[in-house]
Amino acid sequence: MGTYTPKLDEKGRLFLPAKFRDALAEGLVITQGQDNCLTVWPEQTFMAEAARAQATPMTNKDARDYRRVLFAGAEQGTPDKQGRIGIPTFLRASAGLERDVVVVGVGDRVEIWSPARWEEYSTGAQAKFAELDESPGD
């Protein structure tokens, strides 16, 4: 959980917020995420998602598309002793990342956003969140 604003270093490495380091210390997978961000999964969580994706039939176009995006942009890694992870150039480009980034804890994963994309997404999501209303019995 939480939102953080670290910076990428000159080599494209991200200092993970300390709160996330233990969960990712045994290994991680970084992929293209939905909504033009990057997703950092603990390796075991990614493998469970990969198995779920692979269980869908190849005859389903949406399933094929999801698998391609999930696996084509996936990079395995481990944080270094300083808690940094390297983000490959192609992943930084796909998410529009430069020096400043926004890191968001999302339950079982971490998302990395460009500040502009996070602001745009967050503004829209907050408006929808404010309109949520459950009727009694729902």
Side-chain angles (χ1 to χ4, degrees), residues 26-38:
E26 297 300 316
L28 59 89
V29 177
I30 185 168
T31 65
Q32 294 172 320
Q34 293 173 300
D35 303 309
N36 297 307
C37 69
L38 299 181

Side-chain angles (χ1 to χ4, degrees), residues 34 41 44-58 62-64 66-67 70-71 108-109:
Q34 293 173 300
W41 308 77
Q44 289 183 342
T45 304
F46 177 82
M47 293 308 179
E49 178 64 16
R52 188 186 70 75
Q54 289 176 321
T56 59
M58 286 297 295
D62 289 338
R64 289 192 311 271
Y66 179 70
R67 279 190 238 179
L70 182 68
F71 292 113
D108 64 349
R109 63 194 179 277

Side-chain angles (χ1 to χ4, degrees), residues 79-91:
D80 68 13
K81 292 178 183 175
Q82 288 81 34
R84 295 176 299 196
I85 60 170
I87 303 175
T89 303
F90 76 96
L91 286 175

Side-chain angles (χ1 to χ4, degrees), residues 43-128:
E43 189 170 7
Q44 289 183 342
T45 304
F46 177 82
M47 293 308 179
E49 178 64 16
R52 188 186 70 75
Q54 289 176 321
T56 59
M58 286 297 295
T59 55
N60 181 309
K61 182 178 179 347
D62 289 338
R64 289 192 311 271
D65 292 345
Y66 179 70
R67 279 190 238 179
R68 287 177 183 136
V69 173
L70 182 68
F71 292 113
E75 290 283 324
Q76 288 180 288
T78 305
D80 68 13
K81 292 178 183 175
Q82 288 81 34
R84 295 176 299 196
I85 60 170
I87 303 175
T89 303
F90 76 96
L91 286 175
R92 290 194 314 264
S94 76
L97 302 180
E98 295 180 8
R99 183 152 170 79
D100 294 324
V101 298
V102 177
V103 176
V104 181
V106 189
D108 64 349
R109 63 194 179 277
V110 174
E111 293 179 344
I112 305 170
W113 292 79
S114 77
R117 287 181 180 173
W118 173 250
E119 181 64 29
E120 180 182 340
Y121 169 80
S122 183
T123 299
Q126 287 294 331
K128 288 178 187 175

